[in-house]
Amino acid sequence: MSIHVVDETTPSRRRGSSSTPPRFDLTLSENPFPPLPSVLRAVNSVLAQANRYPEFLPRRLPKLIAGHLGVQPDQVVVGSGATGVAMQIIQSLTTPGAGMVFGTPTFDGYPIMAEMAGVEVVPVPLDADGNQDLGAMAKAIDKWTGLVVVCRPHNPTGTVASAGALKAFLGSVPARVPVILDEAYVEFLGAAEYLDPLALLSRHPNLLVLRTFSKAYGLAGLRIGYAFGRREMMARVRRLQLPFGVSSAAVAAVSASYAAEPELAVRTMRITTEREALRDALRRCGIAVPRSHANFLYLPGPGVSTALRRAGIAAKAYPDGSARISVGDPEADHAVLAALATLR
């Protein structure tokens, strides 16, 4: 692969040693780039006052995010990454023994959080193309269902439910059942796939949109996530807001990131360009990689995860031998291609 580099900064390298092949950890769909210099400066300026507590309950960050989204601050709940906010949602909107419907495989956190909250998982297999089977998910909803999760793009396949299919699905969900629309990777969507969340919220009061600053913004280590929706719904979620749970560094990082969005857009484009080049190359090798709309690729098995492991590449592995890998680091992408080039 030969990819034109448009960002002068370089991806962060992964662990390795002179006595072993280079080792890349591609398990967590991380952004390979460190925070932008302007974001680092903003965070470092706040860390000088790290002896001081942040706000008892977050006010500045919800207001900042709300202004960016075009909603009111009381429509936004923030927390420790999208995972932390999802846990708040599960705990505040469901009861032990309720069912939680989602496509499977999915983000690992959902079944883990369901178990922590005493919620019964209702996994619905993806279709043959790696899409969430929204029709089957709708049929899985019953009187015991307490929550539904739709990922768009989906994790781990990167597929995207069409606008029509999603709208039809949301219209079929009983109004009493909350729906999380997990948009952790929304910044990687093209204009044709993007949906106006405010239009969806105006029609579906049971909808909560979940997002994060961990992926496209490259702030995974700062743990900043949020959800937004109708204020009545968000008030229920906010009741479980952890005191002192959002750092001052998070506020500074988000403010600086919003100011640097043109630079972040260049990085996102670089990641998606690398993704498409690697996907094309792997498909030429006979690996049926589905089209991804995120910062990762899903590599169908069997044998893929084993081949990557033998090449010193850590990936998210699945029982059938498939794997999900982060993309965007040219050296890691080349290592993946070399490891899998003769697999088929």
Side-chain angles (χ1 to χ4, degrees):
M1 291 179 292
S2 177
I3 298 174
H4 175 61
V5 176
V6 294
D7 188 351
E8 61 198 10
T9 56
T10 57
S12 54
R13 290 294 308 276
R14 291 305 179 190
R15 54 189 176 271
S17 71
S18 59
S19 61
T20 59
R23 182 170 174 78
F24 299 95
D25 187 347
L26 309 181
T27 56
L28 294 175
S29 62
E30 295 165 318
N31 190 317
F33 300 102
L36 289 168
S38 60
V39 177
L40 286 175
R41 286 194 298 271
V43 171
N44 286 333
S45 68
V46 171
L47 291 180
Q49 289 83 43
N51 57 308
R52 304 296 184 185
Y53 280 101
E55 294 175 301
F56 183 73
L57 292 176
R59 305 295 183 198
R60 290 183 294 160
L61 187 56
K63 183 177 180 181
L64 180 62
I65 293 171
H68 191 76
L69 296 173
V71 300
Q72 296 302 310
D74 61 358
Q75 292 181 259
V76 178
V77 171
V78 298
S80 179
T83 305
V85 180
M87 189 68 195
Q88 281 182 239
I89 293 170
I90 295 169
Q91 290 178 313
S92 60
L93 301 184
T94 67
T95 56
M100 180 174 169
V101 176
F102 52 76
T104 188
T106 189
F107 166 54
D108 288 349
Y110 285 121
I112 293 171
M113 289 184 286
E115 182 177 5
M116 292 171 65
V119 174
E120 300 293 328
V121 298
V122 183
V124 177
L126 307 181
D127 68 19
D129 297 317
N131 297 292
Q132 294 158 105
D133 190 337
L134 297 182
M137 290 173 64
K139 292 178 181 177
I141 298 172
D142 58 26
K143 64 181 181 180
W144 293 285
T145 302
L147 185 66
V148 176
V149 180
V150 178
C151 298
R152 191 175 190 273
H154 186 60
N155 179 4
T157 60
T159 56
V160 175
S162 71
L166 179 63
K167 291 175 182 178
F169 174 75
L170 293 175
S172 72
V173 177
R176 65 172 182 81
V177 178
V179 179
I180 295 177
L181 179 59
D182 186 330
E183 292 192 330
Y185 303 91
V186 67
E187 292 85 4
F188 295 96
L189 289 178
E193 294 84 29
Y194 184 79
L195 280 174
D196 180 4
L198 302 188
L200 292 177
L201 290 172
S202 69
R203 300 192 62 178
H204 304 287
N206 58 332
L207 182 65
L208 306 95
V209 182
L210 182 66
R211 292 183 177 176
T212 182
F213 288 91
S214 295
K215 306 303 181 182
Y217 289 90
L219 301 176
L222 291 182
R223 311 309 302 129
I224 315 167
Y226 64 96
F228 59 104
R230 294 281 189 96
R231 53 174 49 92
E232 297 83 2
M233 183 81 75
M234 303 317 296
R236 295 171 62 187
V237 178
R238 193 176 296 108
R239 287 202 299 264
L240 294 182
Q241 189 79 61
L242 181 68
F244 300 122
V246 176
S247 71
S248 300
V251 181
V254 171
S255 180
S257 293
Y258 281 159
E261 282 199 326
E263 295 173 85
L264 289 166
V266 171
R267 285 188 166 185
T268 302
M269 180 60 68
R270 179 177 177 181
I271 291 169
T272 57
T273 300
E274 291 279 355
R275 181 195 69 204
E276 291 306 295
L278 179 58
R279 177 178 181 264
D280 289 345
L282 290 170
R283 287 179 68 86
R284 286 194 295 271
C285 294
I287 301 174
V289 184
R291 182 169 297 282
S292 173
H293 298 267
N295 67 335
F296 55 77
L297 288 174
Y298 182 76
L299 313 178
V304 170
S305 60
T306 299
L308 292 174
R309 185 176 66 253
R310 288 173 176 169
I313 301 169
K316 171 59 184 172
Y318 296 90
D320 66 351
S322 301
R324 186 201 65 198
I325 57 165
S326 310
V327 297
D329 181 336
E331 189 172 354
D333 291 347
H334 281 285
V336 168
L337 181 58
L340 303 180
T342 60
L343 188 62
R344 295 290 185 266

